[in-house]
Amino acid sequence: MKKPITLGDILAARKRIAGHVIHTPLRPSQSLSDHVGTPVWIKCEHQQYTGSFKLRGAANAVLNLTDDQKAKGVVGVSTGNYGRALANAARNAGVRAVICMSELVPKNKVEGIRAQGAEICISGKSQDEAQKEVDRLVNDDGMTMLPPFDHADIIAGQGTLGVEVLEQLPDAETLLVPLSGGGLLAGVALAAKSINPAIRVVGISMERGCAMIESLQAGKPTSVREWPSLADSLGGGIGENNQYTFDMCADLTDDFVLVNEAQIADGIRAAYVDDQQVIEGAAAVGIAALRARLIDNPGRTVVLSTGCNIDMGLHRRIIGGEDVDLAKEAEQDSPTSEGA
């Protein structure tokens, strides 16, 4: 039987990873505040080491391994940011790391992981297909699998972000949290609601294949088709045998919101033009939701900006006002498409 995750686990994780992560700034956004008519702050977790919040969970999980597990190495599946974080945490601990990814992961994120010293394995066209190679390495080499979200140590590590936000802004009323597999949302919601049960937590994802929201609507973990998206870090399934995040997201989240590709691009553009921040699509979904007025009565709001690992060529196109549709571009680049 799984052990429930508690605020105590999150506080222990915070102590464990101290010195391995940075205390990221909470910046007021005058432009967003003016737009929605209520004070808005941006939690700049995109300034974290490795460029995303994922380092919190990865560092906590790696530091909590046994000596035998460290000797055999760790393996994980990733859409990019988690792989970079796990590679970094493993390198700092002197542990072998293998990161498995699908063909949809952008090249800049693959190279970012390689630069952290991890071994790379590209397999299949979805995160679920890449997971099969992870399973093989666990069975054949005895490596320890550290999944990107559905793991107690990962969730506790991500929850440290919620504690940090409420230390910086104790009277926050609404937290806007990017949602993929749910490790961040589960951890942040648990931390925030343990400290302030009245706080509102909203999970935000992209329209193109959010597995968690579709699973919650279906009442069970559900597979979805993965499409190229500006919010590529939010892709992937939640696992048929989900142990933690499905239930935690259902129990602890007050609302869920989906944003489309044009709204995500607008969020990236606004972060750069109005707040001088370079962020990736997954980090922009909270800004996108506010600018599209999809959050009713937000009150004093904190937007979690979770990553900066965007291809800079793509970023320049978006900032320049180009209408970017990655799904159409992928179809045109395919040798089986009519344009080939």
Side-chain angles (χ1 to χ4, degrees), residues 314-325:
L314 175 62
H315 189 266
R316 285 191 294 272
R317 292 172 61 194
I318 293 169
I319 298 308
E322 184 176 339
D323 182 13
V324 180
D325 189 323

Side-chain angles (χ1 to χ4, degrees), residues 61-74 93-96 142-144:
V62 169
L63 292 170
N64 214 22
L65 292 172
T66 66
D67 290 342
D68 182 61
Q69 288 173 322
K70 290 178 181 178
K72 293 180 180 178
V74 295
V95 174
R96 176 194 178 200
M143 302 185 79
T144 294

Side-chain angles (χ1 to χ4, degrees), residues 42-55 78-85 104-110 112-113 178-180 184 204-206 229-235 259-272 276-289 303-316 318-319 326:
I42 298 175
K43 177 59 171 172
C44 298
E45 190 65 11
H46 59 276
Q47 296 179 11
Q48 185 59 257
Y49 295 139
T50 75
S52 86
F53 75 96
K54 290 285 190 178
L55 185 60
S78 175
T79 54
N81 284 338
Y82 175 67
R84 189 185 297 230
L104 292 180
V105 176
K107 290 182 180 179
N108 69 299
K109 293 192 173 183
V110 174
I113 294 170
L179 170 62
S180 178
L184 177 64
I204 306 177
S205 195
M206 76 292 198
S229 170
L230 293 175
D232 56 271
S233 293
L234 301 184
V259 291
N260 62 35
E261 295 299 297
Q263 290 164 341
I264 295 168
D266 178 68
I268 294 171
R269 194 176 299 116
Y272 183 75
Q276 297 77 53
Q277 302 296 314
V278 175
I279 63 175
E280 62 186 270
V285 295
I287 296 173
V303 181
L304 301 191
S305 174
T306 49
C308 68
N309 297 314
I310 186 171
D311 177 84
M312 292 311 297
L314 175 62
H315 189 266
R316 285 191 294 272
I318 293 169
I319 298 308
L326 297 182

